[in-house]
Amino acid sequence: MCTPAVKQRPNRTTCKKIKSLLLEVFVFVRIYLDRLIDFVFGCYYKSRVQIVPKPSNPIVIESATALAKRIREQNLTSEALVRACIDRIKQVNPLINAVVDERFEDALAEAKQLDERIRNGAVSSEEFAEKPFLGVPFSTKESSACKGMRSTYGLVCRKDKRAEEDAEAVRLVKNAGGILIAITNIPVLNMWQETDNRVYGRTNNPYNTTRDVGGSSGGEGAIIAACGVPFGIGTDIGGSIRIPAFKCGIFGHKPTGELIQTRGLTYRTGKEPSTIMSAGTLTRSSSDIIPFLKVLLDKNVNRLQLDKQVNVKDLKVHYMLSSGDSKMSLLTREMTAAILKVVKHFEVDLKASPKKLIVPELKYGMALWRYWLTQEANANFARDLTDRKGQVSPIWEVLKWVFQCSEFNSGAIFNLIGTYLPLMNEKKARDLTKQLKDSLMDALGDNGVLIYPSAPWSARYHNTSLLRPYNFGYFAVWNLLKFPVTQVPLGLDSEGLPIGVQVVAAPYQDHLCIAVARELESAFGGFVPPFSS
C-alpha cells in the first residue's frame, strides 16, 4: 500500500532567501521608477527654469546676529535694513511666491521709532543685551498666529480669517527686538511635503523654480534662502523645519521636544498634554541658532546647555546611509557622498573615528510616526479641513478632486486618504518606540551625534512627492522620539541644488548638534546663495 506523500513546508532559510530576493527586485524596480519619474517631469519643466536674481543691496545676505551687531554699533539703521528686506521681498516674491501677507508700513514705522531712540541714547546697553535681535526683521509661517494678519492655514473656508493675537513664539521674538515683516506660505494645515494650497498657490524653490521647497515651513525656507529676511520661526511635526531647510540650503534646528511654548501655532492652545510638534529656528548661518533658540525657549532655556563649550574632537560620531525602510527611496550617489564627506572630515579630526551605526528598529520609523501622530490632542484631519465645523467625507472629496471641483489640493487629498489607512498595533508601536529610543540613547549618550541622511536627493520637481510619499520618513522619525536635530547645508549638487545632512543628538543635548553644525559650516562653507555673486 502506498503512503501518500507529505507536502514539505519551506523552511525558514528558504523563506528568508525568497523574501530577500523579492526585496532586491523591489529595490531594483524602485530605482528605475524614480529615474523615470524625474525624466518625465523633467521633460515637462525643462524650459521653465528660473532662479532669483542677485540682490541690489548686499546687507540682506548677512546673518541676523551680524545685522543686530551693526545696528547696536550704529553702523546700520533698522529702517535701512527693513527697507532693504522689503525691496528684496518685492523683487523675489513674484518668482517664488513665498510671502503671503505683509506689514511693511508698520515694520518701517517700528524701525524708524527704534532708530530715533538709538540716536537719542534712549536704548541702554542692558536693553541691547536683553534684546539680541533689536531692529532686525523676521518672518514666520502663516499658521503661526500674528495679530491682525491672515490666518487661513491654507484652507479656503478660512480665507477671511485674521489672527486676534500673536502666537507665543512670535511674541517672544518681538520681545527680543525682532520686527515682524511678513508671513509665509504653507501646505494645507501644515501637513504635506510640498508648500501649496488653494488659497495662495504654490511656493517655488529660489535655486530653481521648477523644484519644490518642501513643507510645511516651505515659504519660510524659500524667503530666507532668497535673502528676503535673515531669520524666521518654523514649526516641525514630521520634518517641517528640516525639509525646507534642506531643500533651500539653510540651517534648520528642531529642538528637544516639548520645551517651546506652542500656543497660537495652528490650532494649539499650549495646554495640550503632549506633542511631537515643536517650534524651531530657520537661519542662513549656524551662528544665529543659539541666540535665536534661547529666545524661543524662554523660561526653559536652562534645561539645555547652550552655553556649554563643545570640543568637537572629543565627540563620538556615528553615521548611517539608510533607514532600512524599503518604502523610502535609496540615497543617490551625491547624497551618499555628502555623508561620507562629513565622515572623512571627522576621521581626520576626531580622537575616535566615526562608526557606522546599525539600528534595526529605524526601519519602522514611518509606521511609528503615523501612530504617534494619531496621539496628538484633538487630532482629526477630516474635521480640521472644515475648520473644525464638521467633517469631510473622504469618498466625496476624492470624487470632487477627480473632477477638479474640490477646494483641497492633491497633498491634502492624499493626507485625507492616508488617515484611513491601518495603523500599527498600539502595544507594538509603544514597545518598538521604547526599543528604538533605548538603542539610540545607548549609542549617543551625552557626548555623541549621529550623521543621518536628509533625503534621497535634492529638491525634486513639483508634485513628484505624490508618487513617493514616504521619503519624508528620513525626517519624521526624530519627531516621535523628540530628539534634537540640526539640518546642515553642504553646498550644491551637480544640478545646482542644495544638499546636506541631519545631525542628531540625544534629548537635551542640542548644543552638540549645533556645535557640529558650526564645525561643518566652517569646513564646507554652509549656505550658498541661489544667485551668482
Side-chain angles (χ1 to χ4, degrees):
M1 183 175 177
C2 295
T3 304
V6 178
K7 289 185 178 180
Q8 296 291 320
R9 296 181 63 186
N11 59 34
R12 288 187 176 181
T13 303
T14 304
C15 288
K16 282 184 178 179
K17 287 181 178 179
I18 294 172
K19 187 176 180 180
S20 177
L21 179 61
L22 290 174
L23 182 59
E24 286 181 19
V25 171
F26 174 79
V27 170
F28 178 82
V29 172
R30 179 68 183 270
I31 289 171
Y32 283 92
L33 179 60
D34 282 334
R35 291 180 181 179
L36 178 63
I37 290 168
D38 285 338
F39 174 76
V40 171
F41 278 77
C43 290
Y44 174 76
Y45 279 116
K46 65 181 179 181
S47 62
R48 305 170 185 229
V49 177
Q50 291 180 286
I51 60 172
V52 296
K54 181 180 178 180
S56 56
N57 191 334
I59 64 168
V60 298
I61 303 174
E62 296 184 31
S63 69
T65 46
L67 292 166
K69 184 174 183 288
R70 289 185 62 179
I71 291 171
R72 184 168 64 249
E73 295 174 349
Q74 298 188 51
N75 294 322
L76 174 69
T77 65
S78 177
E79 181 188 355
L81 175 57
V82 169
R83 198 174 293 280
C85 287
I86 291 170
D87 290 343
R88 180 60 175 169
I89 291 171
K90 289 179 178 179
Q91 182 183 30
V92 301
N93 210 51
L95 283 175
I96 62 174
N97 189 37
V99 167
V100 295
D101 197 7
E102 46 83 6
R103 57 186 304 274
F104 293 161
E105 293 304 316
D106 288 342
L108 280 169
E110 290 173 19
K112 289 176 183 178
Q113 186 177 33
L114 172 63
D115 290 336
E116 183 67 22
R117 290 183 63 228
I118 292 173
R119 280 192 295 270
N120 294 338
V123 180
S124 64
S125 57
E126 289 80 10
E127 184 175 353
F128 273 120
E130 291 170 359
K131 298 180 176 182
F133 297 106
L134 194 61
V136 181
F138 75 100
S139 58
T140 189
K141 58 202 297 187
E142 197 250 29
S143 55
S144 301
C146 299
K147 186 176 181 179
M149 302 191 77
R150 300 187 73 176
S151 182
T152 72
Y153 306 162
L155 294 170
V156 173
C157 63
R158 285 180 61 98
K159 65 181 180 2
D160 298 321
K161 289 263 187 177
R162 292 188 177 269
E164 296 180 358
E165 60 180 354
D166 288 334
E168 185 65 11
V170 174
R171 184 189 70 81
L172 289 170
V173 179
K174 284 184 175 181
N175 285 353
I179 296 177
L180 180 66
I181 191 172
I183 57 173
T184 53
N185 204 14
I186 58 170
V188 176
L189 292 165
N190 289 319
M191 294 299 290
W192 191 242
Q193 305 170 57
E194 180 162 2
T195 295
D196 185 20
N197 58 68
R198 299 285 196 212
V199 181
Y200 304 119
R202 185 172 65 197
T203 298
N204 300 317
N205 195 301
Y207 292 83
N208 180 332
T209 54
T210 69
R211 307 302 178 101
D212 74 283
V213 294
S216 62
S217 307
E220 274 303 291
I223 201 61
I224 293 169
C227 300
V229 291
F231 71 131
I233 307 167
T235 60
D236 194 315
I237 198 170
S240 294
I241 287 172
R242 291 160 289 137
I243 299 172
F246 165 72
K247 294 188 176 186
C248 296
I250 62 175
F251 291 87
H253 183 74
K254 182 197 81 66
T256 296
E258 302 190 314
L259 292 181
I260 295 175
Q261 243 288 346
T262 60
R263 181 187 62 79
L265 306 178
T266 319
Y267 287 112
R268 287 173 173 78
T269 65
K271 297 178 181 179
E272 291 80 10
S274 180
T275 182
I276 61 173
M277 190 275 284
S278 178
T281 67
L282 285 157
T283 64
R284 288 193 298 271
S285 170
S286 66
S287 63
D288 288 340
I289 300 173
I290 286 179
F292 190 2
L293 189 56
K294 285 181 175 180
V295 170
L296 295 175
L297 287 164
D298 194 27
K299 295 175 182 177
N300 282 329
V301 68
N302 292 327
R303 296 184 65 184
L304 299 182
Q305 306 170 71
L306 296 178
D307 291 324
K308 184 176 180 179
Q309 293 297 310
V310 178
N311 186 345
V312 175
K313 293 183 179 181
D314 293 333
L315 292 177
K316 296 182 297 181
V317 174
H318 307 272
Y319 70 97
M320 296 182 74
L321 299 174
S322 170
S323 70
D325 187 342
S326 59
K327 294 188 295 297
M328 289 151 58
S329 301
L330 295 177
L331 304 190
T332 60
R333 290 180 181 177
E334 286 187 285
M335 287 301 300
T336 299
I339 295 175
L340 294 178
K341 179 172 70 172
V342 172
V343 171
K344 186 175 181 180
H345 171 76
F346 284 123
E347 280 177 346
V348 175
D349 286 353
L350 291 180
K351 292 181 179 177
S353 294
K355 294 182 179 178
K356 193 170 185 178
L357 190 62
I358 298 174
V359 184
E361 297 90 349
L362 266 175
K363 67 183 178 182
Y364 300 107
M366 269 301 299
L368 292 174
W369 178 81
R370 287 192 63 238
Y371 167 78
W372 286 106
L373 185 66
T374 65
Q375 304 306 298
E376 290 286 296
N378 301 313
N380 187 330
F381 191 71
R383 181 169 61 104
D384 288 349
L385 286 174
T386 70
D387 195 25
R388 299 189 167 180
K389 294 180 173 64
Q391 187 157 315
V392 299
S393 163
I395 295 174
W396 181 234
E397 286 304 328
V398 169
L399 285 172
K400 288 199 293 183
W401 175 74
V402 167
F403 290 101
Q404 300 184 348
C405 298
S406 177
E407 63 183 43
F408 308 118
N409 65 357
S410 303
I413 295 297
F414 267 55
N415 258 327
L416 182 62
I417 295 168
T419 60
Y420 290 87
L421 296 177
L423 291 171
M424 182 181 284
N425 171 272
E426 180 173 7
K427 184 178 186 308
K428 182 179 179 181
R430 291 179 179 269
D431 288 347
L432 274 173
T433 299
K434 185 179 186 306
Q435 291 172 28
L436 175 56
K437 187 170 185 178
D438 289 347
S439 295
L440 289 162
M441 292 287 285
D442 287 344
L444 298 176
D446 61 1
N447 195 40
V449 296
L450 170 63
I451 309 300
Y452 192 73
S454 297
W457 39 58
S458 56
R460 297 295 88 188
Y461 295 105
H462 292 300
N463 294 323
T464 54
S465 59
L466 296 166
L467 301 174
R468 33 205 183 193
Y470 291 102
N471 286 339
F472 80 100
Y474 284 105
F475 298 92
V477 64
W478 307 113
N479 292 86
L480 71 95
L481 295 169
K482 302 179 183 178
F483 280 28
V485 192
T486 307
Q487 172 60 44
V488 182
L490 290 174
L492 308 180
D493 68 4
S494 57
E495 297 181 276
L497 296 163
I499 54 174
V501 294
Q502 294 184 85
V503 183
V504 183
Y508 305 100
Q509 308 302 321
D510 297 53
H511 60 295
L512 302 182
C513 302
I514 299 166
V516 171
R518 297 193 73 163
E519 170 72 14
L520 296 179
E521 181 180 34
S522 176
F524 301 113
F527 169 72
V528 178
F531 42 83
S532 56
S533 57

